[in-house]
Amino acid sequence: MTKGKKTAKYKYYKVEGDKVVRLKRFCPKCGPGVFLAEHLNRYSCGRCGYMEWKQPQKSE
């Protein structure tokens, strides 16, 4: 994490009615509570280094 800067965890959730919706994906290796960072072409975990590549959009 960056020094002197806190993570804004309220940006990772959205409240719809009486339910809480998670906006980011969890890391499959670390489990619930560790979110994957979304980059331009991949998702990555800052804790364990797990990475998933985004699938390219097929245009017709």
Side-chain angles (χ1 to χ4, degrees), residues 9-58:
K9 297 206 189 305
Y10 66 90
K11 293 181 180 178
Y12 299 162
Y13 301 96
K14 182 170 72 172
V15 178
E16 291 182 352
D18 59 346
K19 296 190 180 214
V20 177
V21 178
R22 294 177 193 94
L23 300 176
K24 297 198 179 262
R25 300 168 61 176
F26 286 133
C27 177
K29 284 178 139 180
C30 297
V34 180
F35 291 101
L36 292 175
E38 186 174 355
H39 297 278
L40 184 63
N41 60 349
R42 68 189 186 279
Y43 296 101
S44 63
C45 178
R47 183 175 178 189
C48 69
Y50 175 80
M51 190 180 332
E52 284 183 12
W53 294 98
K54 290 184 179 180
Q55 299 297 326
Q57 300 272 340
K58 292 183 180 178

